[in-house]
Every structure is written in structure tokens, then in C-alpha cells.
């Protein structure tokens, strides 16, 4: 997609992010009821970011000069594992929240029951 946008000759600013913190809201009831969440990610690290931070960067790119034809990689403060995210949830909620690695097929099937229909 980025190559196509570059090729048509319009000005652009690409904002690249890794994982949205708000994505964990899909697991809110699972975390509340079962004290766990899952994903097919193993021990890989991610740099989660709040979508409001992305919006702030987008707004600046739209109204300030100097962002034309730029690409920005947007990340949170550190790359962390989902196990570390579970530990942060545990600390914030005052109870143990666990993370479980799941095969992609199981994850996809489970999301069908968690996410609202399109």
C-alpha cells in the first residue's frame, strides 16, 4: 500500500504502529471473568501504543510543515512480552492475570466469540 501511495506522487505521511493498547479491551470480559488472556505470539516482544498518542502525531503531521513524504514508526516506551503485559495487568488490578500462548487457529476461532460482528 505504501509503495502505491508513493508511486502516485501525492504527499503522504505514514504512521506505523505495532500494537494498540486498546486492542486489549476485546479481552476485558475474559480478563475480568477468568483472569487471563491469550494470543498467538509466544515470547515475542511488542511496542504497544495508545491510539490517542497516534492521533496526536497524526494531528501534528497534518497541521505542521515538514512531515510530507515522511514515515514514522510509533511505539510505546519499551518492547515487552505479553507475559510482561499480564504482569502489568496483575499489578494494576491487584490480582493475578495470566497470559497463554495460543495457536493462530484457536485464537481466530476465539475472537469470533469475543469481537462484535462487522
Amino acid at each position: 500500500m505504501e509503495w502505491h501511495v508513493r508511486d502516485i506522487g501525492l504527499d503522504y505521511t505514514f504512521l506505523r504502529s505495532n500494537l494498540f493498547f486498546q486492542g486489549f479491551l476485546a479481552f476485558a470480559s475474559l480478563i475480568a471473568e477468568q483472569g487471563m488472556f491469550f494470543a498467538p505470539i509466544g515470547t515475542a516482544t511488542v511496542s504497544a501504543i495508545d491510539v490517542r498518542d497516534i492521533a496526536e502525531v497524526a494531528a501534528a503531521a497534518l497541521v505542521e510543515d515538514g512531515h510530507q513524504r515522511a514515515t514514522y514508526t510509533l511505539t510505546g516506551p519499551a518492547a515487552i512480552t505479553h507475559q510482561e503485559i499480564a504482569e502489568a495487568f496483575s499489578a494494576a488490578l491487584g490480582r493475578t492475570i495470566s497470559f497463554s500462548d495460543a495457536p493462530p487457529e484457536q485464537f481466530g476461532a476465539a475472537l469470533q466469540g469475543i469481537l462484535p460482528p462487522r
Side-chain angles (χ1 to χ4, degrees), residues 103-116:
E105 301 78 22
Q106 180 186 5
F107 182 71
L111 287 180
Q112 296 304 314
I114 294 175
L115 298 177

Side-chain angles (χ1 to χ4, degrees), residues 1-7 10-17 57 61 67-74:
M1 181 61 76
E2 289 182 7
W3 291 341
H4 179 70
V5 170
R6 284 184 181 105
D7 288 347
L10 298 174
D11 280 339
Y12 60 84
T13 304
F14 295 126
L15 305 180
R16 296 179 181 160
S17 58
V57 173
H67 301 287
Q68 296 82 3
R69 299 187 176 269
T71 300
Y72 300 110
T73 300
L74 307 177

Side-chain angles (χ1 to χ4, degrees), residues 29-106:
S29 63
L30 183 64
I31 291 170
E33 295 166 14
Q34 298 181 30
M36 62 90 61
F37 67 103
F38 57 93
I41 194 162
T43 59
T45 58
V46 293
S47 298
I49 188 167
D50 191 297
V51 295
R52 294 169 292 190
D53 293 332
I54 297 168
E56 196 171 319
V57 173
L62 287 169
V63 300
E64 297 173 1
D65 287 332
H67 301 287
Q68 296 82 3
R69 299 187 176 269
T71 300
Y72 300 110
T73 300
L74 307 177
T75 68
I80 58 176
T81 66
H82 275 57
Q83 179 59 44
E84 291 171 309
I85 293 169
E87 292 166 7
F89 284 161
S90 297
L93 297 172
R95 63 188 187 99
T96 301
I97 305 300
S98 62
F99 166 73
S100 179
D101 189 41
E105 301 78 22
Q106 180 186 5

